[in-house]
Amino acid sequence: ISHKLLAPVIDKIDRRLAGWIPGLLSWGERLIMINSVMSAIPNYFMSCIKWPDKTIEAVDRLRRAFLWKGDKKVKGGQCLVAWPTITLNKEQGGLGIRDLRAHNMALLMKIGGKLLSDSSEPCFQWLRTQHMANEIPIKAKPTETPIWKTVCSVIEPVIASTKVTIGNGQLVQFWRDHWTAVGRFNLIYPTLASYATNINCTVSSQHTNGTWTIDLHPVLSSRAQTVLQSLMDILLDQHIQQNVPDKRTLLLGSTDITTSANYNLLTYHGILWQPATLIWNKAIPNTCRIFLWL
């Protein structure tokens, strides 16, 4: 989608700013307004389309200016802290202002998670019927609709960040998904995966009449033949249950695929800021907390 089509969303945020007197609100009050109003307005539009960087940068300029000056514009020297630090979670040393790129991806990944989790909603059932008969594509064809292109863009991140308790295997990629105890077959057996006739095939498409039939090119190297036997030994312990849907959860925490869980995963930097528990104490006024943080 183009930047021009999203211009009304930016205008809506800009109009909200027009009702606030510049410089009147404290830092704490500005932080609340950014999180509850300015960051919330794009939420609906971000839940169905991937935003271009130009549009996200335009919204960030408004949020950054409002945070430091309470106005629509700010000079670089007036920004006391770099914006990437501002958008970190409070536990990681930031102010907890929403990272719009990560939030956009988290919302779309939730849609991808529903598509790969047997959701009964009509739109997901239709997409599965049209595009996911025996495979789960991770890249849309140039002739596909913008909606399917958007969904396809997040299927790979969803697969990479989740594991599956196998049921009927209809919504699980055979090679890329984490559906066995040993892990992902494309990483464990990369040589054999290179011989797959369809790397996007589902688990159910490789299991016919109670027997595993792996679709591979007819001529295999000696190493690939050895690896194939090892793979078949693993598959002997895997059982497909035709009437049971697949259960997909996040790798970390074993939780359902929610927007907040996706966002935490995308923004986690592996570093916890120790003073956060003291500074963001609820007993301290918000303005004082920001002053201590600075």
Side-chain angles (χ1 to χ4, degrees):
I1 189 169
S2 68
H3 172 68
K4 291 183 179 179
L5 291 176
L6 291 171
V9 183
I10 301 173
D11 292 339
K12 187 174 182 179
I13 298 173
D14 189 68
R15 287 196 299 272
R16 287 298 182 93
L17 287 175
W20 298 327
I21 301 175
L24 181 63
L25 300 178
S26 66
W27 273 338
E29 291 168 332
R30 293 176 206 166
L31 181 61
I32 292 173
M33 297 305 294
I34 289 172
N35 287 331
S36 61
V37 180
M38 298 179 71
S39 298
I41 289 174
N43 196 53
Y44 173 78
F45 304 93
M46 284 188 163
S47 64
C48 52
I49 52 177
K50 188 173 183 179
W51 278 34
D53 289 341
K54 186 176 181 180
T55 308
I56 292 177
E57 289 168 2
V59 176
D60 281 347
R61 280 195 298 270
L62 290 173
R63 296 195 301 165
R64 184 167 54 244
F66 183 72
L67 174 65
W68 296 118
K69 296 295 292 182
D71 208 343
K72 298 180 181 181
K73 294 182 180 180
V74 65
K75 297 180 180 179
Q78 295 172 321
C79 300
L80 304 182
V81 181
W83 189 249
T85 302
I86 294 291
T87 57
L88 290 175
N89 292 332
K90 293 176 180 177
E91 295 80 7
Q92 299 180 61
L95 281 181
I97 290 178
R98 185 177 294 166
D99 183 333
L100 292 183
R101 285 185 179 84
H103 184 62
N104 187 196
M105 178 60 74
L107 287 166
L108 296 177
M109 284 177 66
K110 182 181 178 180
I111 293 177
K114 285 187 175 182
L115 183 69
L116 299 177
S117 299
D118 198 36
S119 172
S120 59
E121 295 177 34
C123 61
F124 297 116
Q125 291 181 342
W126 183 85
L127 285 173
R128 293 190 202 105
T129 302
Q130 296 295 316
H131 301 283
M132 296 169 56
N134 293 307
E135 67 172 13
I136 302 175
I138 60 173
K139 186 176 181 181
K141 299 177 182 177
T143 56
E144 298 287 1
T145 62
I147 292 177
W148 180 243
K149 288 179 180 178
T150 299
V151 173
C152 268
S153 69
V154 297
I155 286 180
E156 189 170 16
V158 170
I159 289 176
S161 62
T162 57
K163 58 184 176 182
V164 181
T165 301
I166 200 69
N168 53 34
Q170 295 176 0
L171 299 176
V172 185
Q173 273 202 359
F174 181 86
W175 293 101
R176 292 193 181 94
D177 255 313
H178 190 294
W179 62 279
T180 66
V182 297
R184 307 176 193 276
F185 290 148
N186 68 318
L187 301 179
I188 301 170
Y189 306 122
T191 301
L192 186 62
S194 66
Y195 285 91
T197 56
N198 184 3
I199 195 66
N200 299 322
C201 63
T202 62
V203 171
S204 60
S205 69
Q206 306 301 293
H207 190 268
T208 308
N209 298 324
T211 304
W212 291 102
T213 54
I214 313 304
D215 294 330
L216 301 170
H217 291 289
V219 181
L220 300 179
S221 66
S222 58
R223 175 171 175 76
Q225 291 175 353
T226 303
V227 170
L228 176 60
Q229 184 57 51
S230 176
L231 174 61
M232 296 306 294
D233 291 340
I234 294 173
L235 294 177
L236 288 176
D237 296 328
Q238 305 300 320
H239 305 286
I240 300 299
Q241 306 175 69
Q242 296 297 338
N243 298 322
V244 179
D246 305 309
K247 175 64 175 178
R248 187 178 293 272
T249 56
L250 290 175
L251 275 172
L252 301 176
S254 299
T255 61
D256 292 334
I257 307 172
T258 62
T259 301
S260 60
N262 288 331
Y263 183 82
N264 290 335
L265 181 65
L266 291 169
T267 57
Y268 181 65
H269 290 262
I271 300 175
L272 295 179
W273 192 49
Q274 296 301 325
T277 55
L278 299 175
I279 291 176
W280 299 107
N281 190 312
K282 293 183 178 179
I284 303 174
N286 207 23
T287 300
C288 296
R289 284 185 282 183
I290 296 178
F291 180 78
L292 292 173
W293 176 82
L294 287 171

